[in-house]
Each structure stands twice: as C-alpha cells, then as structure tokens.
Amino acid sequence: MIDVLRVLSKHAFFLWLSGFREACSLHRAFFFCKRSRKLAIRTGQCFILNGLIFLGSILLLNSVIKPILFSILPHDCRQLSSSVPCDFQRTLKLYAFLRSLLIEIFYVLWFYPLYLFSFIISSLWYNDIAQQAFLVMEDTSHAKEHPSGSSTSTTAFVDKREGFEGFVIGLAEQIYSVLLLIFFFIEVSLVGLLPYIGVPAKFILLSWMYSYYCFEYKWNLADFGCKERLELFHTNWAFFAGSPCALAIFFFSPLVSGGVMAILFPLFVLSATGTQERQLILSHGKMMGSREPVKIPVFYAVDILATWTLRHFFSATSHGKSDDKAH
C-alpha cells in the first residue's frame, strides 16, 4: 500500500508540475499575436480596457482623488486648529460622512458600471481571442502535415454541428457550461466560509475553476463534448490544478483582482490553447503502468445540479410550446 501511494503521489506531483509549467507558458501569447493581427488587436484592447482604463481609474482614485478629498475635508483636528482639546468633533464627523459619500458616488457612477461593461466586453473578446488562437494552431498543424502547401489552409472556423438538431445540442452545451461554472463558483464561495480549511480549499477549487474556464474555449472549438471534458478533468485533476490564475484574488482587493484577472486571463487562454494536454497526460500516464489513476470528481455535485436544471428548463419549454399549440 505504501509503495502504491508513493507511486500515485509521484505521478500526481509530476502531473501538477507539468500543468503548472504549461499554464505559465505565457510567452505563447507573442507567438499567437505574431501570427494573427486580429488576435493581437483583441489582446491589446483587453490590456487597454482593463489595465489602462479600469486599473488606471483605481490608481487615480487612491493616488489623486482621495488625497484631495482628505485635504479639503480633513480627518484630523490638527489640520483645523492647534487648540487642545479638539473642538471640531462634529465637523470632523460631517467631513468623514461627506468623504464617504463622494467616494461612494464615484463608485456607483463610474467603477461599478465600468466593471460591468468591462466584464461583458472582455467575455466577448476572450471568445474572439480563443477562436483566432485555435485557427493559428490549426494552420500550424496543417503546415507541419503539408509542408509543400498543397492544400488550402484554414481561414475560418466552421462549426461541426449542422442543422437544427446540432444547433439545439450546441445551445444546450453552452447553457450547461455556464450553469456548471455558476454553481461551482457558488460552491467555492460557500467552501471559503469554512473555518481553518476554507481559504486553502477555496484556492484549490478556484485553481480548478479557472483552469477549466481557460481550456473550455479550446474544447468548445474542437467539439470536445461536456462529459468527455469532465472525465478528462476528473481523471487528471493534478494537471489542471496547476493553474496560477487564482493568485490574483488572494493578493488584491476585489476590484483590483478583477482588473488584474481580466488582463491576465487572455494570456492564460492562449497558453491553454497552445497546450497539448491530452498528449502530455498520456505521456505522464506511462509512469503509472497498468494502475488506474485516482479520480477526484471535482464537478460531481454541480454537474448533477446543472444537468437537472437544464433538463427542467427544456422540459418546461417543451411543455409550454405544447400548451400553446393546443390552444
């Protein structure tokens, strides 16, 4: 038993190390941007929106606006009078209230709308970035297989699903993926509230969540089914635990971490797109010999919940259409 555990631990460690190395291969972004002008533009737009505008606004608030407010509406008696004891307690309380009110107005009128706008626009751009990177990978693979250039290269992504049935299946998978990540994020938030083990458990779960999110773009474009993704993820959980995306959340405030994550996320998506995860996992699997890898059903609970919700939604929709036809 001890020998088996030693082999399994060694395999999990090297698999994690391989996943971490692949996730940190952010230099692949330069390769992709060099090969695709549209991808370079989209990546630059993410940096401008989330870095220059969003994080720049936070820097402007903390470095310029707040110091100005504290100079106009001081918080210390010594800034008002040198008399002791201080006779301006009520005035200072009023100033503190006005400072908080003005800062909150700044958040409501600028930061929160900008955060929402950035989240929506960035999500659309991430999809474009992943699609362009996927096309670059296909062109590169095609060039290796046909060095003479006898066949035409891929110039546009063609969805493998055809017809109305394919459209419904694709829509259902997209809804399922969104539900899966939403429910998993709720689970992560609840786990983070646990005493003692909450913080480290939350970090590990967030690493898995962001890793799945990064690879999901490529898996969608490669027509890799949802159940196959979960099977690959659960069987090779150590490889996908190597994503360092969650580090930004633990070292910055929520707004700053959101901006930092929005800047770094397209780089991690490009890194995931350029990763040959199944080939790497297969090569590491040779270390196991004939032993089956230990599965950890990371998404087991949320998979059941997302599947049930999806079935209930489509069942209610079909019943609603049947009732409309009957009337």
Side-chain angles (χ1 to χ4, degrees):
M1 179 62 70
I2 295 177
D3 291 337
V4 172
L5 290 176
R6 186 184 294 114
V7 172
L8 292 175
S9 300
K10 182 179 179 181
H11 174 67
F13 172 75
F14 282 106
L15 202 56
W16 175 87
L17 190 63
S18 177
F20 179 77
R21 184 176 61 250
E22 291 296 319
C24 293
S25 300
L26 303 182
H27 61 278
R28 290 173 179 162
F30 294 100
F31 164 76
F32 284 115
C33 291
K34 184 179 179 180
R35 297 293 299 273
S36 173
R37 185 172 180 271
K38 183 177 180 180
L39 190 152
I41 292 174
R42 282 285 184 260
T43 305
Q45 288 172 332
C46 284
F47 275 89
I48 292 174
L49 176 61
N50 300 297
L52 186 62
I53 299 178
F54 185 78
L55 291 180
S57 298
I58 296 177
L59 181 64
L60 178 67
L61 174 65
N62 294 328
S63 303
V64 178
I65 297 178
K66 284 185 178 180
I68 291 176
L69 289 178
F70 274 96
S71 64
I72 298 175
L73 304 171
H75 66 289
D76 196 334
C77 286
R78 289 172 294 183
Q79 296 177 265
L80 297 174
S81 173
S82 60
S83 62
V84 179
C86 180
D87 298 325
F88 298 94
Q89 292 297 333
R90 291 184 178 180
T91 303
L92 291 177
K93 290 182 180 179
L94 177 61
Y95 286 170
F97 171 76
L98 291 176
R99 284 198 311 270
S100 301
L101 179 63
L102 292 173
I103 292 174
E104 192 62 32
I105 290 175
F106 191 80
Y107 272 91
V108 171
L109 296 182
W110 179 249
F111 273 121
Y112 296 142
L114 180 61
Y115 183 85
L116 181 61
F117 175 78
S118 171
F119 178 81
I120 296 174
I121 296 299
S122 296
S123 298
L124 298 175
W125 287 346
Y126 296 156
N127 188 68
D128 285 346
I129 289 171
Q131 183 170 324
Q132 293 302 315
F134 185 80
L135 293 177
V136 170
M137 289 296 296
E138 282 197 334
D139 287 342
T140 303
S141 177
H142 176 270
K144 291 180 179 179
E145 294 176 0
H146 304 279
S148 61
S150 57
S151 301
T152 58
S153 61
T154 306
T155 57
F157 172 70
V158 179
D159 196 344
K160 297 179 182 179
R161 302 185 182 95
E162 297 179 354
F164 179 75
E165 182 179 355
F167 169 77
V168 173
I169 293 175
L171 177 62
E173 288 188 351
Q174 291 296 325
I175 297 175
Y176 168 83
S177 296
V178 172
L179 291 174
L180 188 77
L181 291 174
I182 290 175
F183 291 145
F184 192 75
F185 184 77
I186 295 173
E187 179 183 323
V188 170
S189 301
L190 295 176
V191 169
L193 300 176
L194 296 175
Y196 304 112
I197 65 171
V199 174
K202 181 179 180 180
F203 177 79
I204 295 173
L205 292 175
L206 281 175
S207 298
W208 275 326
M209 186 185 76
Y210 284 118
S211 180
Y212 182 89
Y213 195 20
C214 289
F215 279 95
E216 187 186 34
Y217 288 98
K218 181 176 72 170
W219 290 340
N220 280 334
L221 295 170
D223 202 24
F224 193 35
C226 294
K227 296 303 179 183
E228 290 79 5
R229 302 176 199 176
L230 294 185
E231 179 66 20
L232 178 67
F233 206 96
H234 292 165
T235 306
N236 305 282
W237 50 269
F239 179 86
F240 296 103
S243 175
C245 289
L247 289 174
I249 296 178
F250 285 85
F251 292 99
F252 302 102
S253 64
L255 277 178
V256 175
S257 65
V260 172
M261 181 61 69
I263 293 175
L264 295 178
F265 189 73
L267 302 182
F268 285 112
V269 170
L270 293 175
S271 178
T273 304
T275 299
Q276 303 295 328
E277 69 279 1
R278 282 179 274 189
Q279 287 83 345
L280 288 170
I281 291 170
L282 183 62
S283 64
H284 281 281
K286 295 178 181 179
M287 295 172 55
M288 295 291 292
S290 59
R291 293 187 179 94
E292 288 290 332
V294 178
K295 293 184 181 181
I296 295 183
V298 180
F299 295 100
Y300 178 76
V302 294
D303 174 43
I304 294 176
L305 188 56
T307 302
W308 179 86
T309 304
L310 192 63
R311 287 177 179 174
H312 183 73
F313 171 77
F314 277 100
S315 177
T317 304
S318 61
H319 281 305
K321 291 182 179 180
S322 299
D323 293 340
D324 291 340
K325 290 181 180 179
H327 288 294

